[in-house]
Amino acid sequence: MEYLYAQDNLSLGQMAARWVAREILACPNLVLGLPTGSTPIGMYQHLTRLAQEGIISFAQARTFNLDEYVGLTADHPQSYAFFMREHFWSKVDLPKANGDIPRGDVSDLAAECRRYDDAIQSVGGIEVQILGLGPNGHIGFNEPSHNMEIHTHVVDLTAETIQANTRFFPGSEAVPRQAITMGVGSIMRAQRILLLVSGESKRDILTKTLYGPVSTAVPASILQLHTDLTVLTDIKI
Ligand code: F6R
């Protein structure tokens, strides 16, 4: 495990963008797994700037998002598809067809899960996966549970996640109760993983993730078993 320390959230965004920029410069047709949420916003801002200045290009890249809420259309302002359009897709030269995200508004969610895994497999799997860390230790929306799912699946969100994500909605009752998420298998099969963690409130869960027992109660703890994990954080532990 490599541990990178950022002074604050601002420099975390810059460092994350430089880390991704190095990967894309080394491999222009990179298959990149991407998160949404508050933590990666700075990374997307800096990546956008680097792309707009012509320093990097996503023209040959493929991206796959980790997750999407069930029941929200792609133009719902709280959907993760909307987030990606606003923060990344509309600002860089990634061809529209190359940015994939599970659809949460389809009637056959099981078929959508299969489509997503097939799409990831058809390009040879995720090469570089960027992750955020949920307050309860989730990665993607792989929530604490008695088991871990390998494949893309529909998940019931925990009360803690609904509470944490209420900040983006008018109230907790408006937060979707389910999501589609990439499974732990696609994440762990990535060649390299960058875990972004920002803010004092995540100190305990980061400690459990990196130094606690590997357990389904803290899904991110499985990252301890990955052979090429970089942790970029502004929390000193
Ligand atoms: C979102 C995702 C989640 C978030 C996590 C942290 O696509 O995969 O696992 O990374 O909930 O979210 P923030 O960064 O908002 O604290």
Side-chain angles (χ1 to χ4, degrees), residues 40-111:
I41 288 178
M43 175 186 80
Y44 288 126
Q45 280 168 354
H46 291 288
L47 280 177
T48 296
R49 189 179 52 74
L50 291 173
Q52 288 174 354
E53 287 172 359
I55 296 165
I56 55 171
S57 167
F58 293 92
Q60 296 174 59
R62 296 288 310 249
T63 71
F64 290 91
N65 268 81
L66 283 161
D67 41 22
E68 179 59 283
Y69 288 115
V70 166
L72 300 193
T73 58
D75 54 10
H76 188 289
Q78 266 71 45
S79 74
Y80 287 166
F82 190 97
F83 174 102
M84 288 307 292
R85 262 200 317 281
E86 181 167 278
H87 291 284
F88 190 61
W89 290 336
S90 67
K91 305 201 165 155
V92 299
D93 58 349
L94 182 80
K96 202 165 182 240
N98 288 13
D100 208 341
I101 185 164
R103 282 192 56 180
D105 61 341
V106 294
S107 55
D108 191 345
L109 291 168

Side-chain angles (χ1 to χ4, degrees), residues 34-40 65-68 80 130-136 138-142 161 164-165 167-168 181 196 198 202:
L34 293 174
T36 58
S38 305
T39 313
N65 268 81
L66 283 161
D67 41 22
E68 179 59 283
Y80 287 166
I130 318 298
L131 294 173
L133 179 64
N136 61 358
H138 70 214
I139 44 176
F141 272 135
N142 290 279
T161 295
N165 290 5
R167 69 192 197 276
F168 300 114
T181 182
L196 305 176
S198 180
K202 295 212 178 139

Side-chain angles (χ1 to χ4, degrees), residues 130-168:
I130 318 298
L131 294 173
L133 179 64
N136 61 358
H138 70 214
I139 44 176
F141 272 135
N142 290 279
E143 297 278 53
S145 173
H146 54 277
N147 66 343
M148 283 190 200
E149 298 268 354
I150 306 266
H151 301 291
T152 299
H153 59 285
V154 175
V155 63
D156 293 331
L157 299 178
T158 60
E160 199 176 355
T161 295
I162 291 166
Q163 184 53 42
N165 290 5
T166 295
R167 69 192 197 276
F168 300 114

